[in-house]
Amino acid sequence: MAEFGQTFTDQMAVSRFTHEQWSEVAVQPLGPFSLHPATHVLHYSSTCFEGLKAYRWADGSIHLFRHQDNIQRLRNSAQALCLPVPSAELLESAILAAVQAVTDDIPALPGALYIRPTLIGTESHIGAAGRGSKEALLYVITSPVGDYFAGGVRPLKLLIDDENMRSTPKFGQVKTGGNYAASLGSVIRARAEHGADQVLFCPGGQVQETGAANFILIKGNDLITKKLDGSILPGITRNSILQLAQDLGLVVHEIDYTVAELLSWAPDSEAFLSGTAAVLSPVGTLVYQGQPHQVGDGGVGNRSMQLRDALTGIQHGLSPDLHGWTTAL
Ligand SMILES: *Cc1c(COP(=O)(O)O)cnc(C)c1O
């Protein structure tokens, strides 16, 4: 299987918002769109997206994981970007149509079909800098993905950045390209200057998240992660892991905490990043002001792997779905 993000199925689902209404969802061959050079999204970044997965269980049935949560989050993002907000019904029908069109291309476990719903402002009007796009395009593309950890799990090295922000205090909860653009410079410098895999954004010394994943720490029987306050993305993987941690008897703390606290906890903790693509990626080292700080023994924590197995067990239909997170197609 090719690198994540570059292999696509050959069908996509599309709906357009013009004259105040959404068109019926159409499934069409994956291919380029034609956009006027004055298109709103190209100038004013009116764009948001989602990422979720469909799994083919051992019995051949196909299941989505918590797709209603992705739908609600895309609607929240659209609202924040002053884009036309698609109904939950429209979004669900676009996601289902995109998956149903390519069921033969869904890989066997532990592979999955990664689903990328995307919404962009398509009004061609460069004078509309101060208002939302009145036209929009919703499309859902899909990508077969393999086992993220096929080459074994390598603990990540994170650079702690306490100067830059990946977003603003309230826009951090919006899944929009602008937040990624804002964090790129810091991430590229971290890679070049410190050999870091990712940046842990901690503006003003307050721990938030990385550019594309939530950050979670486990110390003894306590799970610690930043509370949702608009500055970080409300990850669905994050939320699932917090629930499963509680089920396993861990005490969950959604709190504000500082870099100093994080570094004091690190030696006897485990840490990981959470998100749909990688599920859960262990963090072995934190770099702060040029100094490396090992997390636990620098390897992959037992609790982390226990949580990852609990989550993938439900996603893969191997353990009972006690929280009603999966939906059969
Ligand atoms: C998508 C994303 C996440 C992870 O969200 P999931 O719903 O778990 O996939 C975390 N942080 C950022 C900034 C993201 O864009």
Side-chain angles (χ1 to χ4, degrees), residues 49-52 70 73 114 116 166 172 174-176 179-180 209-215 232-240 274-277 279:
F49 66 94
E50 273 304 324
L52 67 158
N70 293 93
R73 194 168 66 187
Y114 181 83
R116 173 53 68 93
R166 56 167 279 281
V174 183
K175 206 165 175 74
T176 181
N179 288 341
Y180 282 72
E209 63 168 329
T210 66
N214 295 117
F215 179 75
I232 62 167
L233 212 283
I236 294 160
T237 315
R238 172 190 179 279
N239 181 271
S240 306
S274 79
T276 294
V279 184

PDB file of all heavy atoms in Angstrom, residues 49-52 70 73 114 116 166 172 174-176 179-180 209-215 232-240 274-277 279, ligand 1:
ATOM      1  N   PHE A  49     -12.605  20.411   6.653  1.00  0.00           N
ATOM      2  CA  PHE A  49     -12.608  19.012   6.227  1.00  0.00           C
ATOM      3  C   PHE A  49     -12.804  18.104   7.430  1.00  0.00           C
ATOM      4  O   PHE A  49     -12.817  18.546   8.574  1.00  0.00           O
ATOM      5  CB  PHE A  49     -11.318  18.670   5.472  1.00  0.00           C
ATOM      6  CG  PHE A  49     -10.065  18.734   6.314  1.00  0.00           C
ATOM      7  CD1 PHE A  49      -9.562  17.599   6.924  1.00  0.00           C
ATOM      8  CD2 PHE A  49      -9.380  19.930   6.496  1.00  0.00           C
ATOM      9  CE1 PHE A  49      -8.408  17.643   7.695  1.00  0.00           C
ATOM     10  CE2 PHE A  49      -8.217  19.991   7.260  1.00  0.00           C
ATOM     11  CZ  PHE A  49      -7.739  18.849   7.864  1.00  0.00           C
ATOM     12  N   GLU A  50     -12.983  16.827   7.136  1.00  0.00           N
ATOM     13  CA  GLU A  50     -13.097  15.808   8.172  1.00  0.00           C
ATOM     14  C   GLU A  50     -12.255  14.604   7.776  1.00  0.00           C
ATOM     15  O   GLU A  50     -11.864  14.478   6.618  1.00  0.00           O
ATOM     16  CB  GLU A  50     -14.564  15.371   8.371  1.00  0.00           C
ATOM     17  CG  GLU A  50     -15.327  16.241   9.344  1.00  0.00           C
ATOM     18  CD  GLU A  50     -14.641  16.324  10.706  1.00  0.00           C
ATOM     19  OE1 GLU A  50     -14.063  15.308  11.149  1.00  0.00           O
ATOM     20  OE2 GLU A  50     -14.677  17.396  11.323  1.00  0.00           O
ATOM     21  N   GLY A  51     -12.004  13.735   8.725  1.00  0.00           N
ATOM     22  CA  GLY A  51     -11.299  12.492   8.453  1.00  0.00           C
ATOM     23  C   GLY A  51     -11.906  11.396   9.306  1.00  0.00           C
ATOM     24  O   GLY A  51     -11.969  11.534  10.530  1.00  0.00           O
ATOM     25  N   LEU A  52     -12.411  10.342   8.666  1.00  0.00           N
ATOM     26  CA  LEU A  52     -12.979   9.212   9.410  1.00  0.00           C
ATOM     27  C   LEU A  52     -12.698   7.942   8.625  1.00  0.00           C
ATOM     28  O   LEU A  52     -12.161   8.014   7.514  1.00  0.00           O
ATOM     29  CB  LEU A  52     -14.467   9.409   9.666  1.00  0.00           C
ATOM     30  CG  LEU A  52     -15.435   9.397   8.485  1.00  0.00           C
ATOM     31  CD1 LEU A  52     -16.837   9.070   8.995  1.00  0.00           C
ATOM     32  CD2 LEU A  52     -15.496  10.737   7.763  1.00  0.00           C
ATOM     33  N   ASN A  70     -18.252  13.167  13.385  1.00  0.00           N
ATOM     34  CA  ASN A  70     -17.549  13.896  12.328  1.00  0.00           C
ATOM     35  C   ASN A  70     -18.501  14.845  11.600  1.00  0.00           C
ATOM     36  O   ASN A  70     -18.128  15.965  11.248  1.00  0.00           O
ATOM     37  CB  ASN A  70     -16.940  12.919  11.308  1.00  0.00           C
ATOM     38  CG  ASN A  70     -15.831  12.086  11.905  1.00  0.00           C
ATOM     39  OD1 ASN A  70     -16.073  10.989  12.391  1.00  0.00           O
ATOM     40  ND2 ASN A  70     -14.610  12.606  11.905  1.00  0.00           N
ATOM     41  N   ARG A  73     -19.083  17.853  13.736  1.00  0.00           N
ATOM     42  CA  ARG A  73     -17.893  18.713  13.775  1.00  0.00           C
ATOM     43  C   ARG A  73     -17.725  19.471  12.464  1.00  0.00           C
ATOM     44  O   ARG A  73     -17.343  20.650  12.467  1.00  0.00           O
ATOM     45  CB  ARG A  73     -16.650  17.863  14.077  1.00  0.00           C
ATOM     46  CG  ARG A  73     -15.444  18.685  14.473  1.00  0.00           C
ATOM     47  CD  ARG A  73     -14.344  17.817  15.045  1.00  0.00           C
ATOM     48  NE  ARG A  73     -13.795  16.901  14.050  1.00  0.00           N
ATOM     49  CZ  ARG A  73     -12.924  15.936  14.315  1.00  0.00           C
ATOM     50  NH1 ARG A  73     -12.502  15.746  15.559  1.00  0.00           N
ATOM     51  NH2 ARG A  73     -12.473  15.146  13.364  1.00  0.00           N
ATOM     52  N   TYR A 114     -10.072   5.331   4.446  1.00  0.00           N
ATOM     53  CA  TYR A 114     -10.051   6.668   5.037  1.00  0.00           C
ATOM     54  C   TYR A 114     -10.979   7.547   4.207  1.00  0.00           C
ATOM     55  O   TYR A 114     -10.914   7.552   2.975  1.00  0.00           O
ATOM     56  CB  TYR A 114      -8.620   7.216   5.040  1.00  0.00           C
ATOM     57  CG  TYR A 114      -8.511   8.590   5.658  1.00  0.00           C
ATOM     58  CD1 TYR A 114      -8.418   8.741   7.045  1.00  0.00           C
ATOM     59  CD2 TYR A 114      -8.515   9.733   4.865  1.00  0.00           C
ATOM     60  CE1 TYR A 114      -8.334   9.999   7.612  1.00  0.00           C
ATOM     61  CE2 TYR A 114      -8.423  10.995   5.426  1.00  0.00           C
ATOM     62  CZ  TYR A 114      -8.332  11.119   6.805  1.00  0.00           C
ATOM     63  OH  TYR A 114      -8.249  12.372   7.363  1.00  0.00           O
ATOM     64  N   ARG A 116     -12.551  11.380   3.479  1.00  0.00           N
ATOM     65  CA  ARG A 116     -12.191  12.792   3.640  1.00  0.00           C
ATOM     66  C   ARG A 116     -13.301  13.704   3.077  1.00  0.00           C
ATOM     67  O   ARG A 116     -13.258  14.114   1.929  1.00  0.00           O
ATOM     68  CB  ARG A 116     -10.865  13.032   2.916  1.00  0.00           C
ATOM     69  CG  ARG A 116     -10.372  14.488   2.825  1.00  0.00           C
ATOM     70  CD  ARG A 116     -10.289  15.213   4.124  1.00  0.00           C
ATOM     71  NE  ARG A 116      -9.254  14.730   5.034  1.00  0.00           N
ATOM     72  CZ  ARG A 116      -8.007  15.215   5.119  1.00  0.00           C
ATOM     73  NH1 ARG A 116      -7.624  16.185   4.331  1.00  0.00           N
ATOM     74  NH2 ARG A 116      -7.165  14.752   6.006  1.00  0.00           N
ATOM     75  N   ARG A 166      -0.732  27.388  17.020  1.00  0.00           N
ATOM     76  CA  ARG A 166      -1.174  26.761  15.787  1.00  0.00           C
ATOM     77  C   ARG A 166      -2.505  27.348  15.327  1.00  0.00           C
ATOM     78  O   ARG A 166      -2.952  27.110  14.212  1.00  0.00           O
ATOM     79  CB  ARG A 166      -1.292  25.239  15.920  1.00  0.00           C
ATOM     80  CG  ARG A 166      -2.197  24.775  17.028  1.00  0.00           C
ATOM     81  CD  ARG A 166      -2.512  23.311  16.924  1.00  0.00           C
ATOM     82  NE  ARG A 166      -3.568  23.064  15.951  1.00  0.00           N
ATOM     83  CZ  ARG A 166      -4.866  23.258  16.196  1.00  0.00           C
ATOM     84  NH1 ARG A 166      -5.295  23.706  17.354  1.00  0.00           N
ATOM     85  NH2 ARG A 166      -5.765  23.027  15.268  1.00  0.00           N
ATOM     86  N   GLY A 172      -9.077  27.170  17.300  1.00  0.00           N
ATOM     87  CA  GLY A 172      -8.366  25.895  17.360  1.00  0.00           C
ATOM     88  C   GLY A 172      -9.289  24.698  17.240  1.00  0.00           C
ATOM     89  O   GLY A 172      -8.852  23.596  16.895  1.00  0.00           O
ATOM     90  N   VAL A 174     -11.682  24.406  15.110  1.00  0.00           N
ATOM     91  CA  VAL A 174     -12.200  24.322  13.743  1.00  0.00           C
ATOM     92  C   VAL A 174     -11.213  23.521  12.891  1.00  0.00           C
ATOM     93  O   VAL A 174     -10.020  23.819  12.891  1.00  0.00           O
ATOM     94  CB  VAL A 174     -12.377  25.741  13.156  1.00  0.00           C
ATOM     95  CG1 VAL A 174     -12.976  25.664  11.761  1.00  0.00           C
ATOM     96  CG2 VAL A 174     -13.246  26.593  14.079  1.00  0.00           C
ATOM     97  N   LYS A 175     -11.714  22.512  12.188  1.00  0.00           N
ATOM     98  CA  LYS A 175     -10.817  21.679  11.384  1.00  0.00           C
ATOM     99  C   LYS A 175     -10.658  22.323  10.011  1.00  0.00           C
ATOM    100  O   LYS A 175     -11.320  21.954   9.052  1.00  0.00           O
ATOM    101  CB  LYS A 175     -11.372  20.252  11.283  1.00  0.00           C
ATOM    102  CG  LYS A 175     -10.284  19.208  11.043  1.00  0.00           C
ATOM    103  CD  LYS A 175     -10.807  17.817  11.314  1.00  0.00           C
ATOM    104  CE  LYS A 175      -9.777  16.761  10.959  1.00  0.00           C
ATOM    105  NZ  LYS A 175      -8.659  16.683  11.919  1.00  0.00           N
ATOM    106  N   THR A 176      -9.768  23.307   9.958  1.00  0.00           N
ATOM    107  CA  THR A 176      -9.618  24.114   8.752  1.00  0.00           C
ATOM    108  C   THR A 176      -8.159  24.223   8.341  1.00  0.00           C
ATOM    109  O   THR A 176      -7.259  24.223   9.201  1.00  0.00           O
ATOM    110  CB  THR A 176     -10.212  25.530   8.982  1.00  0.00           C
ATOM    111  OG1 THR A 176     -10.076  26.293   7.777  1.00  0.00           O
ATOM    112  CG2 THR A 176      -9.534  26.266  10.130  1.00  0.00           C
ATOM    113  N   ASN A 179      -5.444  26.597  10.055  1.00  0.00           N
ATOM    114  CA  ASN A 179      -4.701  26.223  11.263  1.00  0.00           C
ATOM    115  C   ASN A 179      -3.441  25.432  10.906  1.00  0.00           C
ATOM    116  O   ASN A 179      -2.406  25.562  11.571  1.00  0.00           O
ATOM    117  CB  ASN A 179      -5.576  25.397  12.205  1.00  0.00           C
ATOM    118  CG  ASN A 179      -6.657  26.238  12.877  1.00  0.00           C
ATOM    119  OD1 ASN A 179      -6.555  27.462  12.933  1.00  0.00           O
ATOM    120  ND2 ASN A 179      -7.688  25.575  13.365  1.00  0.00           N
ATOM    121  N   TYR A 180      -3.552  24.609   9.874  1.00  0.00           N
ATOM    122  CA  TYR A 180      -2.378  23.846   9.436  1.00  0.00           C
ATOM    123  C   TYR A 180      -1.337  24.784   8.850  1.00  0.00           C
ATOM    124  O   TYR A 180      -0.136  24.654   9.121  1.00  0.00           O
ATOM    125  CB  TYR A 180      -2.794  22.784   8.410  1.00  0.00           C
ATOM    126  CG  TYR A 180      -3.432  21.578   9.064  1.00  0.00           C
ATOM    127  CD1 TYR A 180      -4.713  21.637   9.606  1.00  0.00           C
ATOM    128  CD2 TYR A 180      -2.730  20.393   9.189  1.00  0.00           C
ATOM    129  CE1 TYR A 180      -5.281  20.549  10.233  1.00  0.00           C
ATOM    130  CE2 TYR A 180      -3.287  19.287   9.804  1.00  0.00           C
ATOM    131  CZ  TYR A 180      -4.570  19.377  10.321  1.00  0.00           C
ATOM    132  OH  TYR A 180      -5.122  18.300  10.951  1.00  0.00           O
ATOM    133  N   GLU A 209      -1.846  20.918  21.923  1.00  0.00           N
ATOM    134  CA  GLU A 209      -1.819  19.706  21.109  1.00  0.00           C
ATOM    135  C   GLU A 209      -0.783  19.887  20.014  1.00  0.00           C
ATOM    136  O   GLU A 209      -0.124  20.921  19.943  1.00  0.00           O
ATOM    137  CB  GLU A 209      -3.207  19.417  20.512  1.00  0.00           C
ATOM    138  CG  GLU A 209      -3.696  20.490  19.551  1.00  0.00           C
ATOM    139  CD  GLU A 209      -4.935  20.085  18.738  1.00  0.00           C
ATOM    140  OE1 GLU A 209      -5.098  18.893  18.447  1.00  0.00           O
ATOM    141  OE2 GLU A 209      -5.708  20.985  18.400  1.00  0.00           O
ATOM    142  N   THR A 210      -0.608  18.885  19.156  1.00  0.00           N
ATOM    143  CA  THR A 210       0.320  19.036  18.031  1.00  0.00           C
ATOM    144  C   THR A 210      -0.450  19.585  16.832  1.00  0.00           C
ATOM    145  O   THR A 210      -1.654  19.842  16.916  1.00  0.00           O
ATOM    146  CB  THR A 210       0.987  17.700  17.657  1.00  0.00           C
ATOM    147  OG1 THR A 210      -0.003  16.806  17.151  1.00  0.00           O
ATOM    148  CG2 THR A 210       1.682  17.076  18.862  1.00  0.00           C
ATOM    149  N   GLY A 211       0.237  19.712  15.696  1.00  0.00           N
ATOM    150  CA  GLY A 211      -0.388  20.301  14.514  1.00  0.00           C
ATOM    151  C   GLY A 211      -1.573  19.513  13.996  1.00  0.00           C
ATOM    152  O   GLY A 211      -2.471  20.083  13.383  1.00  0.00           O
ATOM    153  N   ALA A 212      -1.605  18.214  14.238  1.00  0.00           N
ATOM    154  CA  ALA A 212      -2.674  17.404  13.651  1.00  0.00           C
ATOM    155  C   ALA A 212      -3.181  16.303  14.565  1.00  0.00           C
ATOM    156  O   ALA A 212      -3.900  15.417  14.119  1.00  0.00           O
ATOM    157  CB  ALA A 212      -2.190  16.792  12.339  1.00  0.00           C
ATOM    158  N   ALA A 213      -2.798  16.340  15.835  1.00  0.00           N
ATOM    159  CA  ALA A 213      -3.247  15.280  16.741  1.00  0.00           C
ATOM    160  C   ALA A 213      -3.294  15.800  18.173  1.00  0.00           C
ATOM    161  O   ALA A 213      -2.553  16.709  18.546  1.00  0.00           O
ATOM    162  CB  ALA A 213      -2.317  14.076  16.646  1.00  0.00           C
ATOM    163  N   ASN A 214      -4.155  15.196  18.970  1.00  0.00           N
ATOM    164  CA  ASN A 214      -4.257  15.547  20.393  1.00  0.00           C
ATOM    165  C   ASN A 214      -3.150  14.852  21.173  1.00  0.00           C
ATOM    166  O   ASN A 214      -2.638  13.824  20.760  1.00  0.00           O
ATOM    167  CB  ASN A 214      -5.636  15.144  20.936  1.00  0.00           C
ATOM    168  CG  ASN A 214      -6.775  15.923  20.300  1.00  0.00           C
ATOM    169  OD1 ASN A 214      -7.637  15.355  19.635  1.00  0.00           O
ATOM    170  ND2 ASN A 214      -6.774  17.233  20.477  1.00  0.00           N
ATOM    171  N   PHE A 215      -2.792  15.435  22.317  1.00  0.00           N
ATOM    172  CA  PHE A 215      -1.697  14.924  23.146  1.00  0.00           C
ATOM    173  C   PHE A 215      -2.268  14.437  24.477  1.00  0.00           C
ATOM    174  O   PHE A 215      -3.012  15.165  25.146  1.00  0.00           O
ATOM    175  CB  PHE A 215      -0.678  16.040  23.378  1.00  0.00           C
ATOM    176  CG  PHE A 215       0.479  15.627  24.245  1.00  0.00           C
ATOM    177  CD1 PHE A 215       1.493  14.817  23.740  1.00  0.00           C
ATOM    178  CD2 PHE A 215       0.572  16.051  25.559  1.00  0.00           C
ATOM    179  CE1 PHE A 215       2.568  14.434  24.534  1.00  0.00           C
ATOM    180  CE2 PHE A 215       1.647  15.678  26.365  1.00  0.00           C
ATOM    181  CZ  PHE A 215       2.642  14.865  25.850  1.00  0.00           C
ATOM    182  N   ILE A 232      -8.216  23.854  21.113  1.00  0.00           N
ATOM    183  CA  ILE A 232      -7.736  22.603  20.508  1.00  0.00           C
ATOM    184  C   ILE A 232      -8.883  21.904  19.785  1.00  0.00           C
ATOM    185  O   ILE A 232     -10.060  22.182  20.032  1.00  0.00           O
ATOM    186  CB  ILE A 232      -7.128  21.632  21.548  1.00  0.00           C
ATOM    187  CG1 ILE A 232      -8.173  21.194  22.585  1.00  0.00           C
ATOM    188  CG2 ILE A 232      -5.911  22.254  22.229  1.00  0.00           C
ATOM    189  CD1 ILE A 232      -7.734  20.017  23.452  1.00  0.00           C
ATOM    190  N   LEU A 233      -8.489  20.992  18.893  1.00  0.00           N
ATOM    191  CA  LEU A 233      -9.480  20.255  18.117  1.00  0.00           C
ATOM    192  C   LEU A 233     -10.126  19.200  19.027  1.00  0.00           C
ATOM    193  O   LEU A 233      -9.406  18.441  19.687  1.00  0.00           O
ATOM    194  CB  LEU A 233      -8.738  19.579  16.950  1.00  0.00           C
ATOM    195  CG  LEU A 233      -9.430  19.369  15.611  1.00  0.00           C
ATOM    196  CD1 LEU A 233     -10.397  18.207  15.683  1.00  0.00           C
ATOM    197  CD2 LEU A 233     -10.131  20.618  15.116  1.00  0.00           C
ATOM    198  N   PRO A 234     -11.443  19.150  19.079  1.00  0.00           N
ATOM    199  CA  PRO A 234     -12.103  18.109  19.886  1.00  0.00           C
ATOM    200  C   PRO A 234     -12.044  16.766  19.155  1.00  0.00           C
ATOM    201  O   PRO A 234     -12.979  16.383  18.457  1.00  0.00           O
ATOM    202  CB  PRO A 234     -13.540  18.632  20.032  1.00  0.00           C
ATOM    203  CG  PRO A 234     -13.746  19.535  18.865  1.00  0.00           C
ATOM    204  CD  PRO A 234     -12.406  20.074  18.447  1.00  0.00           C
ATOM    205  N   GLY A 235     -10.927  16.072  19.310  1.00  0.00           N
ATOM    206  CA  GLY A 235     -10.705  14.826  18.570  1.00  0.00           C
ATOM    207  C   GLY A 235     -11.688  13.745  18.978  1.00  0.00           C
ATOM    208  O   GLY A 235     -11.984  13.564  20.164  1.00  0.00           O
ATOM    209  N   ILE A 236     -12.172  13.018  17.998  1.00  0.00           N
ATOM    210  CA  ILE A 236     -13.099  11.919  18.268  1.00  0.00           C
ATOM    211  C   ILE A 236     -12.311  10.724  18.801  1.00  0.00           C
ATOM    212  O   ILE A 236     -12.788   9.981  19.664  1.00  0.00           O
ATOM    213  CB  ILE A 236     -13.906  11.594  16.994  1.00  0.00           C
ATOM    214  CG1 ILE A 236     -14.809  12.801  16.683  1.00  0.00           C
ATOM    215  CG2 ILE A 236     -14.730  10.323  17.158  1.00  0.00           C
ATOM    216  CD1 ILE A 236     -15.310  12.877  15.272  1.00  0.00           C
ATOM    217  N   THR A 237     -11.071  10.569  18.349  1.00  0.00           N
ATOM    218  CA  THR A 237     -10.205   9.539  18.923  1.00  0.00           C
ATOM    219  C   THR A 237      -9.914   9.885  20.382  1.00  0.00           C
ATOM    220  O   THR A 237      -9.969   9.011  21.260  1.00  0.00           O
ATOM    221  CB  THR A 237      -8.889   9.443  18.126  1.00  0.00           C
ATOM    222  OG1 THR A 237      -9.193   9.457  16.732  1.00  0.00           O
ATOM    223  CG2 THR A 237      -8.130   8.177  18.473  1.00  0.00           C
ATOM    224  N   ARG A 238      -9.600  11.146  20.640  1.00  0.00           N
ATOM    225  CA  ARG A 238      -9.364  11.622  22.012  1.00  0.00           C
ATOM    226  C   ARG A 238     -10.546  11.270  22.902  1.00  0.00           C
ATOM    227  O   ARG A 238     -10.394  10.660  23.961  1.00  0.00           O
ATOM    228  CB  ARG A 238      -9.147  13.150  21.988  1.00  0.00           C
ATOM    229  CG  ARG A 238      -9.085  13.829  23.358  1.00  0.00           C
ATOM    230  CD  ARG A 238      -9.120  15.362  23.175  1.00  0.00           C
ATOM    231  NE  ARG A 238      -9.094  16.075  24.442  1.00  0.00           N
ATOM    232  CZ  ARG A 238     -10.154  16.274  25.226  1.00  0.00           C
ATOM    233  NH1 ARG A 238     -11.346  15.774  24.885  1.00  0.00           N
ATOM    234  NH2 ARG A 238     -10.042  16.941  26.346  1.00  0.00           N
ATOM    235  N   ASN A 239     -11.737  11.633  22.448  1.00  0.00           N
ATOM    236  CA  ASN A 239     -12.932  11.391  23.242  1.00  0.00           C
ATOM    237  C   ASN A 239     -13.132   9.891  23.484  1.00  0.00           C
ATOM    238  O   ASN A 239     -13.486   9.475  24.595  1.00  0.00           O
ATOM    239  CB  ASN A 239     -14.148  11.997  22.516  1.00  0.00           C
ATOM    240  CG  ASN A 239     -15.419  11.796  23.290  1.00  0.00           C
ATOM    241  OD1 ASN A 239     -16.093  10.779  23.128  1.00  0.00           O
ATOM    242  ND2 ASN A 239     -15.748  12.728  24.164  1.00  0.00           N
ATOM    243  N   SER A 240     -12.876   9.090  22.460  1.00  0.00           N
ATOM    244  CA  SER A 240     -13.056   7.631  22.588  1.00  0.00           C
ATOM    245  C   SER A 240     -12.060   7.071  23.590  1.00  0.00           C
ATOM    246  O   SER A 240     -12.404   6.211  24.419  1.00  0.00           O
ATOM    247  CB  SER A 240     -12.860   6.947  21.232  1.00  0.00           C
ATOM    248  OG  SER A 240     -13.708   7.519  20.257  1.00  0.00           O
ATOM    249  N   SER A 274      -3.124  11.254  19.599  1.00  0.00           N
ATOM    250  CA  SER A 274      -4.305  10.533  19.147  1.00  0.00           C
ATOM    251  C   SER A 274      -4.953  11.232  17.968  1.00  0.00           C
ATOM    252  O   SER A 274      -5.010  12.455  17.910  1.00  0.00           O
ATOM    253  CB  SER A 274      -5.315  10.389  20.295  1.00  0.00           C
ATOM    254  OG  SER A 274      -6.032  11.586  20.480  1.00  0.00           O
ATOM    255  N   GLY A 275      -5.393  10.419  17.012  1.00  0.00           N
ATOM    256  CA  GLY A 275      -6.091  10.943  15.836  1.00  0.00           C
ATOM    257  C   GLY A 275      -6.534   9.786  14.963  1.00  0.00           C
ATOM    258  O   GLY A 275      -6.054   8.660  15.128  1.00  0.00           O
ATOM    259  N   THR A 276      -7.442  10.067  14.036  1.00  0.00           N
ATOM    260  CA  THR A 276      -8.016   9.006  13.218  1.00  0.00           C
ATOM    261  C   THR A 276      -6.979   8.262  12.383  1.00  0.00           C
ATOM    262  O   THR A 276      -7.013   7.036  12.300  1.00  0.00           O
ATOM    263  CB  THR A 276      -9.103   9.602  12.291  1.00  0.00           C
ATOM    264  OG1 THR A 276     -10.167  10.051  13.115  1.00  0.00           O
ATOM    265  CG2 THR A 276      -9.616   8.581  11.301  1.00  0.00           C
ATOM    266  N   ALA A 277      -6.041   8.986  11.783  1.00  0.00           N
ATOM    267  CA  ALA A 277      -5.100   8.346  10.862  1.00  0.00           C
ATOM    268  C   ALA A 277      -4.239   7.323  11.597  1.00  0.00           C
ATOM    269  O   ALA A 277      -4.172   6.166  11.213  1.00  0.00           O
ATOM    270  CB  ALA A 277      -4.233   9.391  10.172  1.00  0.00           C
ATOM    271  N   VAL A 279      -4.471   6.497  14.921  1.00  0.00           N
ATOM    272  CA  VAL A 279      -5.160   6.015  16.118  1.00  0.00           C
ATOM    273  C   VAL A 279      -4.434   6.542  17.354  1.00  0.00           C
ATOM    274  O   VAL A 279      -4.914   7.446  18.026  1.00  0.00           O
ATOM    275  CB  VAL A 279      -5.254   4.472  16.185  1.00  0.00           C
ATOM    276  CG1 VAL A 279      -6.076   4.045  17.400  1.00  0.00           C
ATOM    277  CG2 VAL A 279      -5.882   3.926  14.912  1.00  0.00           C
TER     278      VAL A 279
HETATM  279  C1  LIG B   1      -8.193  16.006  13.043  1.00  0.00           C
HETATM  280  C2  LIG B   1      -7.387  16.545  14.156  1.00  0.00           C
HETATM  281  C3  LIG B   1      -7.226  15.849  15.363  1.00  0.00           C
HETATM  282  C4  LIG B   1      -7.751  14.449  15.596  1.00  0.00           C
HETATM  283  O1  LIG B   1      -9.126  14.339  15.533  1.00  0.00           O
HETATM  284  P1  LIG B   1      -9.806  12.912  15.382  1.00  0.00           P
HETATM  285  O2  LIG B   1     -11.255  13.190  15.376  1.00  0.00           O
HETATM  286  O3  LIG B   1      -9.375  12.095  16.526  1.00  0.00           O
HETATM  287  O4  LIG B   1      -9.298  12.344  14.082  1.00  0.00           O
HETATM  288  C5  LIG B   1      -6.514  16.461  16.385  1.00  0.00           C
HETATM  289  N1  LIG B   1      -5.960  17.690  16.233  1.00  0.00           N
HETATM  290  C6  LIG B   1      -6.086  18.376  15.081  1.00  0.00           C
HETATM  291  C7  LIG B   1      -5.467  19.718  14.975  1.00  0.00           C
HETATM  292  C8  LIG B   1      -6.786  17.833  14.000  1.00  0.00           C
HETATM  293  O5  LIG B   1      -6.895  18.513  12.866  1.00  0.00           O
END
